[in-house]
Amino acid sequence: MTATNQTIPDNEIIPLSLRGPAPTAVVVGYGFWLYLLSDILLFASLFAAYAVLSGETAGGPNGATLFDKKHVFIETACLLTSSFTCGLGALAIRRFDTVWAYLWMGATFALGFMFLKLEVSEFSAMIAVSNGPSRSAFLSAFFALVGTHGIHVTVGLCWLVIMMLQIATLGLHPMVRRRLFCFGLFWHALDIVWVGVFTIVYLGAH
């Protein structure tokens, strides 16, 4: 018995199962989108809790009394602008322009840090007058939602510093570019969540 060699004609469509593993970029992107979806579910739960508890002030101050909308507007401007600079940084990375990548990502870090500083000052001012998370269910839900977003921003800033160090040591290696792509998705997702916080929590305060 002799074996025969079978070849696949050039015009035949190869089934997906025979095309081999997906490229690394596709696998990484897919996995990170799954992570972002799980994070969105987390924030959706916190938004739902806030919606239910926003009126439960236990005789204490409500949002209209506590929130300084001018202060929050500056926070929002910082974070949304950081999303813009992050996008410009991503374009520089696509062009393999290391100098502009550093500049735009540095601006992203500075704006994100300013946002975080303003948020911490807001929390500190509220806690200083005994309006911390233990004051009422409303404040518990507020600190949980806004604080969780702040933790994500902190993680994002640490991540960005690490990525800048990787560019300095490894250059714009494909692995580094994939990680920066994931960072961009993460940072833009935080901006989307903050738009919800700004609209529902601060502008909706009554």
Side-chain angles (χ1 to χ4, degrees), residues 116-190:
L116 202 59
K117 184 177 179 181
L118 290 169
E119 188 170 274
V120 170
S121 69
E122 178 188 25
F123 284 0
S124 299
M126 293 171 66
I127 293 173
V129 292
S130 301
N131 288 323
S134 61
R135 177 66 180 82
S136 65
F138 154 65
L139 285 170
S140 294
F142 167 77
F143 275 90
L145 173 57
V146 181
T148 300
H149 181 271
I151 292 172
H152 278 70
V153 173
T154 304
V155 171
L157 293 179
C158 294
W159 185 359
L160 183 55
V161 170
I162 293 171
M163 293 314 305
M164 293 300 98
L165 292 174
Q166 288 197 350
I167 290 178
T169 56
L170 302 175
L172 292 175
H173 187 276
M175 174 187 65
V176 176
R177 296 175 66 203
R178 285 195 298 270
R179 292 173 179 175
L180 285 165
F181 171 75
C182 291
F183 168 79
L185 291 178
F186 178 79
W187 199 254
H188 294 315
L190 291 183

Side-chain angles (χ1 to χ4, degrees), residues 91-127:
L91 292 176
I93 291 165
R94 183 173 295 181
R95 298 194 307 269
F96 290 89
D97 191 338
T98 305
V99 174
W100 279 105
Y102 272 120
L103 289 174
W104 288 124
M105 289 305 184
T108 300
F109 180 89
L111 289 165
F113 183 80
M114 181 60 66
F115 167 84
L116 202 59
K117 184 177 179 181
L118 290 169
E119 188 170 274
V120 170
S121 69
E122 178 188 25
F123 284 0
S124 299
M126 293 171 66
I127 293 173

